[in-house]
Amino acid sequence: MEEHHSAATPVADETAGATGTTEIAGATGTTGTTGATVASDIPPLTVRDVTVRFAGLTALDAVSFTVRPGTVHALIGPNGAGKSTCFNVLSGVCRPAGGSVRLGEQELTGLPPHRIAGLGVARIFQNLALPPHATVEDCLLLGRHRLTRAGFLAAGLRLPAAAREDRRHRERVREIAAFVGLEGQLDRPAGSLPYGQQKLAELARALCMEPRVLLLDEPVAGMTADERRRTAAVVAGVRDSLGISIVLVEHDMGVVMRLADAVTVLDFGRRIADGTPGDVQNDPAVVRAYLGERAEPEETES
């Protein structure tokens, strides 16, 4: 997503545990059905009949769903359902045997990860991947790489244009750090932060890419209840204030039901349900996938 500095959108600073608001320059656009501000340049992400096979195993079997602009779309299912494989297809790590992934009119299928990232799709992995000895600010600056125009030589010589660009990037990093509640941690080594704050730093680094679509792989896994609440508030703010589309893989069903506007359920690589959280939660096929078939009561002799 291109940078938009024309409007600052106030966001409730729940992540910092303080009253008041934190402002971040957000995307301008229309208001969607969820009440979120949807950036005008964010198209739908459309997955059609995606099939992935590993040797003789079908990991995804003709899976289809559409992520509407400016919404949180959860992808859930039991372990081994195909969620991670689907994320690998969306981010270019895995090439499908069939089907297509499109961001608006742009075909993503088969593109390498750096090309997909360049088109505005950012991914956060389940495991932490922050350089532990780098400062939080430097870690977030890594997210600005695709937006940097100055060459290596110009940056090394601190030429005026490169210096101005560096200042702009650092200003944006400070804005995004404040948005996720890390403005006071920018000078600290990333590895010294508590686990929950390191996960927020991962999210902030992805936001520094100015993405149009954000892929979140279990963003609250391993967190305390308080950390889960704070992180969920930030994710909701990303949707409601920035209008970024989010695809969410998460095992915490409480977080899914609170955040998601739509849910797709996978089981053994197949889509078994797709709809609103309420509809999916009560779908018999989903209940069977998570809990198994209900055993019939045995008859007792009278």
Side-chain angles (χ1 to χ4, degrees):
M1 182 171 66
E2 298 297 324
E3 294 183 63
H4 299 275
H5 297 281
S6 57
T9 307
V11 182
D13 190 12
E14 295 181 59
T15 60
T19 57
T21 59
T22 295
E23 293 189 348
I24 181 171
T28 57
T30 59
T31 301
T33 57
T34 64
T37 299
V38 180
S40 57
D41 65 339
I42 296 182
L45 178 68
T46 307
V47 179
R48 284 290 171 266
D49 298 321
V50 166
T51 297
V52 176
R53 297 186 182 93
F54 299 113
L57 174 68
T58 300
L60 290 177
D61 189 359
V63 169
S64 299
F65 59 89
T66 299
V67 181
R68 301 193 315 275
T71 64
V72 174
H73 193 113
L75 193 62
I76 67 172
N79 289 331
K83 305 181 297 296
S84 294
T85 301
C86 188
F87 257 34
N88 287 340
V89 171
L90 297 181
S91 58
V93 175
C94 176
R95 189 184 184 101
S100 70
V101 179
R102 300 180 71 89
L103 184 59
E105 298 302 316
Q106 176 68 53
E107 182 70 53
L108 303 184
T109 315
L111 292 181
H114 71 276
R115 289 280 306 281
I116 292 177
L119 292 169
V121 179
R123 179 179 180 179
I124 297 176
F125 289 83
Q126 181 180 352
N127 298 326
L128 291 171
L130 296 170
H133 302 296
T135 66
V136 173
E137 182 177 24
D138 286 341
C139 288
L140 269 56
L141 280 169
L142 292 173
R144 306 298 294 176
H145 175 72
R146 81 175 187 92
L147 304 170
T148 299
R149 299 292 175 259
F152 177 77
L153 185 60
L157 295 175
R158 300 291 297 171
L159 297 182
R164 287 193 299 271
E165 184 182 52
D166 181 68
R167 284 195 297 273
R168 288 196 300 270
H169 286 318
R170 290 182 184 277
E171 288 171 4
R172 185 60 171 164
V173 160
R174 286 191 289 271
E175 288 179 348
I176 292 171
F179 179 74
V180 304
L182 293 178
E183 67 273 29
Q185 314 296 334
L186 287 173
D187 294 330
R188 290 184 59 182
S192 71
L193 297 181
Y195 175 78
Q197 289 189 342
Q198 289 191 51
K199 295 285 280 188
L200 284 176
E202 292 262 18
L203 174 57
R205 182 174 60 182
L207 290 176
C208 284
M209 292 175 58
E210 308 291 351
R212 297 191 287 176
V213 178
L214 192 56
L215 309 178
L216 301 182
D217 192 353
E218 299 192 32
V220 302
M223 291 187 179
T224 65
D226 185 58
E227 289 172 337
R228 287 198 300 272
R229 178 187 65 80
R230 291 167 183 254
T231 301
V234 174
V235 173
V238 170
R239 173 194 60 195
D240 297 338
S241 300
L242 306 182
I244 295 172
S245 303
I246 298 171
V247 187
L248 172 70
V249 167
E250 182 52 61
H251 286 288
D252 187 323
M253 289 300 103
V255 170
V256 169
M257 294 303 156
R258 287 195 301 272
L259 286 179
D261 303 299
V263 180
T264 296
V265 187
L266 301 180
D267 189 32
F268 292 108
R270 294 177 177 160
R271 190 188 77 177
I272 61 171
D274 188 75
T276 65
D279 291 341
V280 165
Q281 192 174 29
N282 297 313
D283 190 297
V286 176
V287 175
R288 285 195 298 271
Y290 275 94
L291 302 180
E293 294 282 0
R294 179 178 298 176
E296 295 293 332
E298 296 182 3
E299 293 185 6
T300 59
E301 294 183 4
S302 56

